[in-house]
Amino acid sequence: MTVEGSLTNTVGFLLGKLGQQANGQFADRLAPLGLRPRHCAVLELLAGGPRAQLELAKAVGVTPSVVVDMLDELETLDAVRRVRDTADRRRQLIELTSTGLDLRHQTLSLARQNDEELLSAIDPTEVAALRQILGRIAAATGLVEK
Amino acid sequence: MTVEGSLTNTVGFLLGKLGQQANGQFADRLAPLGLRPRHCAVLELLAGGPRAQLELAKAVGVTPSVVVDMLDELETLDAVRRVRDTADRRRQLIELTSTGLDLRHQTLSLARQNDEELLSAIDPTEVAALRQILGRIAAATGLVEK
DNA sequence: TATTGTTATACTCTATAACTATA
DNA sequence: TATAGTTATAGAGTATAACAATA
């Protein structure tokens, strides 16, 4: 048993450590695809329809110049297309290509594999409870658009 | 309700996001003390007795040169002392000073405040369940020495 | 010759600010 | 004059590798 009154027992500390671990493992799985976790959030958003770059920046929580880089990379992979908005020629609408959609399915599958590995030590009913509680905290802190 | 089959529903994704959030909030609380989350792990370890720098590096999971920097900072704060090991003069044993011990108490208190803020949306029995499950996952993945 | 700690260097990630083209 | 996107630059944070002292 861990020492009472220790930092290690803190939920925040555990979340930090486990989050880093989960993210690192996920990044390793994504690497062969030429993607990193950040890209997945973009693919996910674009699956809901085309978006402008600044919209993506705000939604993913990164600065616009980072979005430019990510989209350059995704374009190199033929995962997305930049199409000029005819109504406002300053904007570019980012569309998911068919290979982008396929890539998104793959990342989703990898994310599930990642979960399985991460959660292999605890039983299914607890996994469900965990997912539910984490989802509620994320929603409460506004981390995820409901 | 969130879309079924979405990355956002994944435990790994939620852990990553929440971990980053928890860590950021904790870092903000620590900033006035001149500390960052990493330092807390060092203070915690040293509370169990003096350690050599390479031991600290391995335990905290950072590279030796980073430990040098962290200890320089902690020494500036008078939180730790480097004392040459008389048995092996290459080693330096790092000791917690009394102000370091005090600092450790403060960081623990801040970590608890952080938990309260983070978990304000969910009720106590669920918090207990969450802490228990996270602790078990962390132990299973070897993230925390039991 | 190997090991502890240190320093110097480089690399990644991200943010800031200047720039263009459109509005 | 303001906005969308881009580029250039700089700042954290971290890792790698060369180095001095000791074993």
Side-chain angles (χ1 to χ4, degrees), chain A residues 88-104:
Chain A
D88 180 347
R89 295 186 38 73
R90 291 173 304 181
R91 306 175 77 218
Q92 303 202 118
L93 295 175
I94 315 301
E95 298 179 343
L96 211 53
T97 66
S98 60
T99 83
L101 190 60
D102 183 58
L103 218 46
R104 195 213 157 208

Side-chain angles (χ1 to χ4, degrees), chain A residues 29 44 47 69 78 83 98 123 133 137:
Chain A
R29 288 181 198 276
E44 178 102 357
D69 284 345
D78 279 319
V83 311
S98 60
D123 67 75
I133 297 177
I137 299 174

Side-chain angles (χ1 to χ4, degrees), chain A residues 104-125:
Chain A
R104 195 213 157 208
H105 291 319
Q106 293 182 56
T107 62
L108 196 51
S109 160
L110 291 176
R112 292 204 182 103
Q113 285 177 35
N114 205 44
D115 267 22
E116 276 182 33
E117 179 179 345
L118 195 69
L119 304 171
S120 57
I122 67 179
D123 67 75
T125 72

Side-chain angles (χ1 to χ4, degrees), chain B residues 70-88:
Chain B
M70 283 199 298
L71 291 181
D72 286 350
E73 289 158 5
L74 288 173
E75 233 177 8
T76 302
L77 295 172
D78 280 317
V80 302
R81 231 186 334 252
R82 282 163 157 114
V83 312
R84 218 25 104 176
D85 183 352
T86 52
D88 180 347

